[in-house]
Amino acid sequence: MADSTSGRVLVVEDEPDLARLVGDYLRNANFEVEVVSDGLEAVEAVREHSPDVLVLDIGLPGIDGFEALRQVRVFSECHVLVLTARDDEVDKIVGLSLGADDYVTKPFSPRELVARVQSMMRRARSSSTAAVQASDESGLGRHAIGELVVDNAARDVRIAGLPVLLTKTEFDLLASLAAHPNQALSRRQLIEMVWGGGVMSDEHLVDVHLARVRRKLGEDAANPTYIHTVRGIGYRMVGPA
């Protein structure tokens, strides 16, 4: 990828006019863009070209977007923005649970899609998230809470010494909470910390991603050890004992 570009984006869309429109808007925003039209091509293109961001339609010929995402997540941690033709909660939840970072429902504004991709690139370009920066400023780049250790510099999470494999978004959410122990953070605050304040992302994103984090930490949602739900507000990470 040339230094003069904003980043590399792979667009996977089987509607030629929409694929062309999305590609043109992204190129005008100085992104290097490749476009493919089916799920199998998408998996191979991610493997071959290592994009920074994958813009992935769900309704694809061959293997659908869900299966393509499942295969991509085996070997790639690129940011994923899912496109769905239906304002269907199930599609959104399935996409996020498979490792997507965000979603846009068709019809959508190309400018909004570009803004979402730019937000992802700001996170990818930085060596640390806003939460990591805040913790570094306070001199706490590593958080130990019982058997849980969150190492911001290494972007590493361990439970009782064993690694916990998180996506970029999952790590950023956990780091945001760990940087503010015993403080209730609203879903909107977490979106601003992780996705960026200029993007109007659905607050439900936070719930789905943190549900995945809890499962990976072995948490019992009814009796959590680390991440507590604060009813009517958001979430709170317990502080060190």
Side-chain angles (χ1 to χ4, degrees), residues 17-240:
D17 290 343
L18 181 57
R20 188 178 308 110
L21 179 66
V22 169
D24 286 347
Y25 267 82
L26 287 166
R27 290 186 187 97
N28 287 340
N30 206 34
F31 287 101
E32 179 183 333
V33 180
E34 180 180 1
V35 178
V36 300
S37 60
D38 70 54
L40 288 173
E41 281 186 294
V43 175
E44 290 309 308
V46 173
R47 194 186 304 276
E48 182 176 350
H49 300 294
S50 300
D52 299 298
V53 178
L54 171 63
V55 178
L56 178 65
D57 186 26
I58 294 302
L60 295 171
I63 62 172
D64 67 15
F66 292 139
E67 179 58 27
L69 177 55
R70 193 192 318 274
Q71 293 186 26
V72 163
R73 275 293 178 245
V74 172
F75 62 87
S76 173
E77 287 299 318
C78 67
H79 289 291
V80 178
L81 177 65
V82 165
L83 307 180
T84 174
R86 296 162 296 216
D87 191 8
D88 187 332
E89 197 71 12
V90 173
D91 279 358
K92 297 172 184 176
I93 291 173
V94 171
L96 294 172
S97 68
L98 289 173
D101 298 285
D102 203 350
Y103 58 81
V104 175
T105 301
K106 297 178 183 178
F108 55 83
S109 161
R111 290 186 179 87
E112 173 63 17
L113 184 144
V114 171
R116 300 282 184 99
V117 172
Q118 289 171 329
S119 176
M120 289 177 171
M121 283 305 305
R122 283 194 294 271
R123 294 165 55 200
R125 188 180 299 115
S126 174
S127 61
S128 60
T129 63
V132 174
Q133 291 169 354
S135 65
D136 286 345
E137 288 169 3
S138 64
L140 296 173
R142 184 175 181 274
H143 304 275
I145 303 168
E147 294 185 327
L148 172 65
V149 176
V150 181
D151 187 330
N152 292 322
R155 292 188 68 83
D156 182 68
V157 176
R158 292 179 182 265
I159 290 274
L162 299 176
V164 179
L165 301 180
L166 302 179
T167 67
K168 293 176 182 178
T169 297
E170 291 165 358
F171 180 90
D172 290 348
L173 279 168
L174 183 62
S176 297
L177 289 166
H180 301 84
N182 296 317
Q183 179 180 337
L185 298 177
S186 70
R187 291 170 178 82
R188 179 49 51 185
Q189 284 177 299
L190 288 167
I191 283 175
E192 290 177 356
M193 291 175 180
V194 174
W195 281 266
V199 175
M200 294 302 294
S201 294
D202 188 339
E203 293 186 6
H204 189 50
L205 285 170
V206 175
D207 299 325
V208 176
H209 283 296
L210 283 180
R212 285 173 54 85
V213 173
R214 279 172 159 168
R215 285 197 297 273
K216 292 180 179 183
L217 295 179
E219 292 257 78
D220 178 359
N223 188 28
T225 302
Y226 304 109
I227 303 173
H228 291 249
T229 301
V230 181
R231 192 173 299 279
I233 298 178
Y235 297 90
R236 173 176 58 84
M237 173 72 82
V238 298

